[in-house]
Amino acid sequence: MTAADLRERVERLLAEHDPATTDRLDFLRARYDAGLAWVWFPEGLGGLGLARGDQGPVDALLAEAGAPGNHPERNGIGLGMAAPTILRFGTEEQKKRFLRPLWTGEEIWCQLFSEPGAGSDLAGLATRAVPDGDGWVVNGQKVWTSGAHNAQLAILVARTDPDAPKHRGLTYFLCDMTDPGVEVRPLRQITGEAEFNEVFLNDVRIPDSQRLGEVGQGWLVAAATLDNERVAIGGAAAPREAGMIGKVARTWRERPELRTTGVHQQLVESWVDAEVARVTGVRLRQKLAQGQPGPEGSAMKLVFAGLAQRLSGLELELLAEDGLRYSDWTMVRPDRVDFTGRDAGYRYLRAKGNSIEGGTSEILRNVIAERVLGLPGEHRVDKDVPWKEIPR
Amino acid sequence: MSTNVLATPADVDLLPTQDGEDLRAAVRSVLAAQCDPTAVIACYDGDRSVVAPLWRALAVDLGLAGLLVPEEHGGHGATARDAAVVLEELGAAVAPVPFLTSSVLATGLLASPTATDAAAEVLTALAAGEQVATLVVPWSTGPGDVPLLGSDGGAVRSVAGAVEADVLLVPVAAAGGTEVRAVPVAAAEVTGVPSLDMTRQLADVRVSAEALAAAPVVVADADAALTDALTLGAALLASEQAGIIRWCVTTTVAYLKERRQFGRVVGGFQALKHRLADLYVEAEQATAAATWAAATAAEGAGPDAGPDEARLASAVAASYCSRVAVHAAEETVQLHAGIAMTWEHPAHLALKRAKSDQIALGSPEQHHVIVADLARLPGPTAG
Ligand SMILES: Cc1cc2nc3c(=O)[nH]c(=O)nc-3n(C[C@H](O)[C@H](O)[C@H](O)COP(=O)(O)OP(=O)(O)OC[C@H]3O[C@@H](n4cnc5c(N)ncnc54)[C@H](O)[C@@H]3O)c2cc1C
């Protein structure tokens, strides 16, 4: 398909569904059906089988015409993690059923991976899924589940074979969060608000048609999700001075009375680092444009977390007296993650999560050392041991 | 004064091209055959016999001396992108050749818009590999205020590339403004000095009033030309540093996969794995920053970006890559431990080059001043 064909497709969509008069959801659905949602996805699944790089011009044309967006910030887990995993491991029926409402935002997704006893050691999780008729019955507890209070669906990893070594006894499911057995309780966090939750799964019934990948292959599927997650967190395209550096730089420009030599040195050095990170992200996306995300995405996530934390801390120092104040400790349950929103104190506290969520920076260093550099794996005491015999 | 560098430039292509990879392979094979670390280490004992044949192979046989020389002067008219590939390889081998000083910095200066006809003659000789030139400023000089000689001549300390040079490009404060004069090395006094990095040995240069007066002006009205050449030099120095960093990471990872202590491969100790992971992340970023600087020097960053984009990219890459190259070389020594402290092991070549490169063509602090200006982050005292 040539650039002109693609442009014509966009124009046809706009002609047939004038954004000024078309209902928002109708427009998004029509855009999906026209293959203009994510053009690198296959035809019939919101795409046209083109290169990832072809999405930019499409988005620009649509934005120019005043077309409504699908609020990607409200469905980060769906778009960043569930969608690529379903595309890669799903059956045709699963792709048809789940991808469209995911993209339009009609169905918001969350990620039921972490458990109180299994965070970094995700493969050690204890939530059980037991076969029952043409489906499964799931029991267990998940924790730190971002956005579970808004989600209709979840990606879920559960243990289906406690007798197998931990990585081999897992299976991956698509879980309906509106099932009566799903109970979501807010977990208030360091910032005061409740962005994440505890999720209790009590006899939750999942039909076998919502199993993603083979029984016992859950780790393989989950690993692909995690690679996508790291790229989604660290690898997003961002303009110059996006994110935390933009916040601090603007404060510096607008408030000359706060400027000190020490902060200036740190700020300029961080500006350099942020710009280098931006350019590295450009290069990473150019590399990834062809293939699946691999462990390289971990590098960008590490960089992103480090920068966000350094800069948000610096911003509080720069603000001096104002840095001592905090806007609001009220517990709210936000419908999106807002890394750079609210005031500087919030940013400082929220950024602490950047090196924990989606894999801690320590785990990411292990991933890079082992999977990119080929250094020996960690010393393991749980290898080849049936999961149920591992001391907990 | 800065134009619009805060606007996001269009993405330049930062991935290797096939031509670039072919060039890399050619440079690499010459280096493998003719740039043995043992011979390079001998430079520190005053034995520079590796230099001339290696430079001949690179400059003449591969034609690298004329890489950036415009075609009308007998060169290849290639871009900074190609030079960046060459410098990555030269950096990885810590090759003792005057490519950066002569084929990048001097060539860049001689190809500037205010160059005179006399410059064309020098460029042709450079492209043919018949002559080598260098800019006569202290090697620590960054893009900005360039130290000038008066018409009565004088001395310049710590000049890089002068030991190898046939032609000295001397910036002079003349009555009509700044100009660059091409002084033949025979008319000047060049004294090699023991240098922290003997693979890019420095020299003290003395030029008399008579020698200056007799030398042709190669660049008139030279302030902008000098800044641009030094900006290009700093941008491409970053690629040399990216090459050093790659060598450090690859060599250290390989060593730690072999070396055993406590009954284990030491690369399996998590404390070391994490340090290497951090180095890998820094290396990826350094490569991206250096490639961006070279690509921006070559092509600009699209129609919206002004000339400041190239200055910004150069200063960002220079500051970042300097820092990382020193870190990578220091980690290489620490993680190799005893063996790296020996004269035979090439780790010290990388360390000495990396630390010297950090100071060369403007310190990180000088580059930060440029960034602060362009990014509109004025210091506390500047209103
Ligand atoms: C804001 C936020 C949102 C989140 N959202 C979600 C979500 O939506 N869904 C979800 O499933 N999870 C979510 N998480 C959970 C997150 O994935 C886990 O917190 C994370 O994987 C770490 O697990 P843990 O908290 O149990 O820490 P632990 O694994 O107990 O780690 C404790 C410390 O030990 C270190 N450590 C552990 N293992 C190693 C090792 N092998 N080598 C070196 N150091 C090690 C860790 O780095 C850490 O410093 C979220 C977390 C946060 C903070």
Side-chain angles (χ1 to χ4, degrees), chain A residues 238-241 245 248-250 252-253 256 259-262 264-265 267-273 275-287 290 296 298-300 302-303 307 310 361-366 368-370 372-379, chain B residues 4-9 11-16 246 249 253 256-257 264-265 267-270 272-278 280-281 283-289 291-292 309 312 315-317 319-320 323 365 367-369 371-372 375-380 382-383:
Chain A
R240 181 169 285 167
E241 281 203 8
I245 184 67
V248 196
R250 272 191 293 283
W252 181 270
R253 290 181 195 117
R259 297 176 191 162
T260 64
T261 307
H264 188 240
Q265 282 169 4
L267 175 61
V268 178
E269 185 166 299
S270 302
W271 199 95
V272 166
D273 289 352
E275 183 60 9
V276 170
R278 184 187 72 78
V279 173
T280 309
V282 171
R283 182 162 167 271
L284 177 72
R285 282 190 302 285
Q286 290 173 351
K287 262 195 196 169
Q290 275 79 29
E296 303 86 355
S298 300
M300 282 313 295
L302 262 177
V303 170
L307 266 173
R310 178 146 55 94
S361 290
E362 289 73 30
I363 293 297
L364 297 189
R365 288 188 177 96
N366 283 351
I368 292 169
E370 292 167 25
V372 182
L373 301 177
L375 290 163
E378 288 303 288
H379 187 58
Chain B
N4 192 26
V5 303
L6 292 181
T8 308
D11 289 349
V12 286
D13 190 356
L14 299 172
L15 298 182
R246 278 268 162 252
V249 175
V253 167
L256 297 190
K257 282 183 188 171
R264 288 168 65 182
V265 168
F269 290 112
Q270 195 184 63
L272 304 199
K273 286 164 69 173
H274 284 194
R275 282 163 72 168
L276 289 172
D278 284 339
Y280 164 82
V281 172
E284 284 293 292
Q285 296 194 92
T287 303
T291 310
W292 170 56
E309 183 69 15
L312 181 75
V316 165
S319 133
Y320 186 81
R323 201 184 333 140
E365 197 187 336
H367 288 290
H368 286 165
V369 171
V371 172
R376 296 195 205 126
L377 300 169

Side-chain angles (χ1 to χ4, degrees), chain A residues 77 111-114 118-121 143-146 189 195-196 350 353 356-360 362-363 366, chain B residues 270 274:
Chain A
I77 289 173
Q111 181 185 26
L112 295 174
F113 281 21
S114 302
S120 299
D121 185 13
V143 73
W144 306 307
T145 315
S146 303
Q189 63 206 61
E195 199 182 82
F196 55 31
R350 181 59 186 85
I356 300 171
E357 60 200 333
T360 67
E362 289 73 30
I363 293 297
N366 283 351
Chain B
Q270 195 184 63
H274 284 194

Side-chain angles (χ1 to χ4, degrees), chain A residues 88-105:
Chain A
R88 181 155 160 208
F89 293 96
T91 61
E92 285 315 304
E93 294 74 50
Q94 287 170 338
K95 294 181 205 173
K96 281 250 167 323
R97 157 68 186 85
F98 292 109
L99 289 176
R100 191 176 187 250
L102 185 161
W103 188 82
T104 59

